[in-house]
Amino acid sequence: MAADAVWRTCGMVGVTVATSGPGATNLITGIACSWFDSIPTLHITGQVNQRESAESLGVKVRQAGFQETDIVDICSSITKYAIKVRSTKELAEALTTGMQIAISGRMGPVLIDVPMDVQQAEC
């Protein structure tokens, strides 16, 4: 909600950074508020290492990695753009694309999910 308030008070896009799992899901109410009121916000969430994810392991379980949560799927209906990046190149592109999408047309929130191995990679 603080990211939403930044736009309302300063006219600048507010940004959040949260961990995976419960940290990411704690953003949902603020993201929904920005969605309903067309407020541009950028939300960056952490995610488990790609090699530890259920998708990578090819298993159909609730979670494989610690606090693994498909926040992109959860938030896709209340964001203009939601993506899980898979490399530092994708991250750079997603940040630029996400910001453009957030402020263009009918403004609104975007979410970029960043696995831990991408966070730790040199870019």
Side-chain angles (χ1 to χ4, degrees), residues 20-122:
S20 63
T25 60
N26 282 340
L27 299 176
I28 294 172
T29 300
I31 291 171
C33 182
S34 295
W35 174 254
F36 297 133
D37 290 348
S38 301
I39 303 295
T41 54
L42 174 63
H43 305 276
I44 301 168
T45 55
Q47 192 52 263
V48 300
N49 286 306
Q50 293 176 86
R51 68 183 177 279
E52 297 171 359
S53 70
E55 177 185 17
S56 174
L57 296 172
V59 294
K60 292 188 181 277
V61 295
R62 182 175 294 170
Q63 70 180 67
F66 179 70
Q67 294 188 344
E68 179 180 4
T69 302
D70 189 353
I71 195 66
V72 169
D73 191 45
I74 292 169
C75 290
S76 64
S77 67
I78 56 169
T79 55
K80 290 184 68 179
Y81 176 71
I83 186 172
K84 177 165 56 170
V85 298
R86 303 193 187 289
S87 68
T88 56
K89 181 178 183 216
E90 273 189 41
L91 174 58
E93 293 168 359
L95 288 167
T96 301
T97 300
M99 188 61 79
Q100 290 294 329
I101 290 171
I103 61 174
S104 66
R106 183 172 180 180
M107 298 183 288
V110 301
L111 182 135
I112 301 171
D113 196 34
V114 187
M116 188 173 291
D117 51 309
V118 176
Q119 293 176 39
Q120 295 172 336
E122 191 171 319

